[in-house]
Amino acid sequence: MSSRITIDDVADIARRIFVEEGHDVPHVKAGDIPPEELVAGELYRIACDLRLDVRDGRASTPIWLYLYPALGGDFGRYLWERHTRTLMRVTTRGHSALPVFRGGGSVDLDGRVVGYAMSEAKGYDLSLPNAMGTLAARRERAFPEFARLADALRVLHAEGVVHRSIWPGTIECDERLMLMFSRFETATMIENLLQRRALGSEDVEALFDHLFLGFTPLALAHTSPERLHRLFPLGAPPEFATMDHVNQDVFSLGVLGVQWFANGAIIDNPPNLLVGRPGQRSVDWRHWREWISGLRRHVTQASEIPRSLRALLRDMLDDRANQRPTSSDIVNRLTTAFDTLEPHYANRTKSTYLVAHSPKDFVHTLFKRKLLQY
């Protein structure tokens, strides 16, 4: 094996790992879904169909396989250990909106120690159109999923885990419109780079810029002001200089909620909040204030949203992290208001139901999920 891993090597490495570990050789879906290079030479993600357990009635399980081909270096080992530990912790809680860890470890391939971690995928084809509009149009599904994601956040935060990167591209969706948080490796990568930046590491800005060139404007539109301050401190307002606050996840979930429950709030053209050259990027804070003020105004004027939910979403979008409700507060408030919210969003259709076979292998993320329109 060559000393330099390329994207073309990834599918072959995946097959060799499973042979070494005694698994069936998986169907690596490289022809349909190209392996992703998350950090060059350090971290790759590949979609596989794998029969993990002969006792499982399914022919195969859709999984994400994360490959860490540079465990000999400090950065690669750090990413692998932290990501694997996080997946194991969230799996123990058995929450349906959180990932299921399906194994991991390291193998020696021709003198190179390669780490890997596997988690089940609700869906993993990233090439199809946006599904946010479908949930906004089907609020009888959006409301229970919003509550379920809030409860999953409560579980995460109780475990001391902060996602830090919640937006439609990090939420997976199955054919029933059931959602699940994913992409926990993103926060691990970014936190490591932030620590290295603070220590004055020379190579960190190039890596950091590489990550955020792929960090779409839509992702940044769901990011809390204190998180933006931490990521891009150049010229940032001092009032947002809050330490890594758990309620940054609450802000992001609030932005999702506004889009699902307020008419015409889907973010089709997210603001471009970043300005500056590589290594000197900053947030256009004037633009950000205009953007978030418009989002709050949309909530305030949305008479189609029940008053209790409207107040909750407005509070979740507060500039001040310590003034937002905690994830536990959100669950409590939704529970208290359930008797009024559930009937409001109940499906009152009189249509005849069709009972039919639904395939077990489902694909696509919430960000780019193509669904039938009813």
Side-chain angles (χ1 to χ4, degrees), residues 183-261:
R183 301 304 302 267
F184 284 82
E185 81 285 352
T186 302
T188 300
M189 286 190 291
I190 294 171
E191 285 309 299
N192 179 267
L193 292 177
L194 288 173
Q195 293 170 19
R196 292 165 67 185
R197 175 200 269 172
L199 295 173
S201 177
E202 294 181 359
D203 64 337
V204 70
E205 288 303 333
L207 273 171
F208 197 78
D209 209 64
H210 169 75
L211 280 176
F212 280 94
L213 285 176
F215 219 54
T216 71
L218 185 60
L220 292 175
H222 289 75
T223 304
S224 70
E226 69 274 13
R227 182 67 173 164
L228 289 172
H229 186 293
R230 182 162 163 75
L231 295 172
F232 306 102
L234 185 65
E239 63 266 29
F240 296 145
T242 307
M243 292 304 290
D244 195 30
H245 204 290
V246 67
N247 279 354
Q248 61 191 276
D249 288 344
V250 167
F251 182 94
S252 301
L253 185 61
V255 177
L256 283 173
V258 173
Q259 295 175 79
W260 292 339
F261 302 119

Side-chain angles (χ1 to χ4, degrees), residues 18 29 33-36 38 44-50 52 61-67 83 87 99-103 116-127 169-173 180-185 363-365:
F18 288 110
K29 299 176 74 69
I33 309 165
E36 295 177 79
L38 302 178
Y44 299 83
R45 190 173 81 151
I46 187 168
C48 302
D49 285 334
L50 180 67
L52 291 166
T61 300
I63 67 166
W64 287 116
L65 172 64
Y66 295 87
L67 294 180
H83 185 206
L87 287 175
V100 177
F101 180 64
R102 297 307 301 258
Y116 69 96
M118 298 183 293
S119 63
E120 285 195 26
K122 275 195 178 296
Y124 47 35
D125 190 331
L126 305 181
S127 63
T170 59
I171 298 176
E172 295 186 22
C173 175
M180 180 182 77
F181 289 125
S182 66
R183 301 304 302 267
F184 284 82
E185 81 285 352
V363 294
H364 323 318
T365 63

Side-chain angles (χ1 to χ4, degrees), residues 297-341:
R297 187 163 54 250
H298 207 122
V299 175
T300 302
Q301 297 172 356
S303 59
E304 68 275 11
I305 305 178
R307 183 178 302 175
S308 57
L309 182 57
R310 195 161 65 232
L312 175 60
L313 291 171
R314 192 169 54 243
D315 292 346
M316 292 171 72
L317 297 179
D318 199 300
D319 284 359
R320 302 156 296 178
N322 61 359
Q323 294 300 307
R324 292 177 210 135
T326 66
S327 51
S328 293
D329 292 336
I330 297 170
V331 172
N332 290 339
R333 288 171 66 170
L334 289 173
T335 301
T336 301
F338 182 80
D339 288 343
T340 56
L341 293 175

Side-chain angles (χ1 to χ4, degrees), residues 346-367:
N347 186 359
R348 297 183 177 86
T349 179
K350 300 295 184 181
S351 303
T352 302
Y353 287 94
L354 170 66
V355 179
H357 171 69
S358 178
K360 292 183 178 179
D361 290 337
F362 38 86
V363 294
H364 323 318
T365 63
L366 175 60
F367 176 42

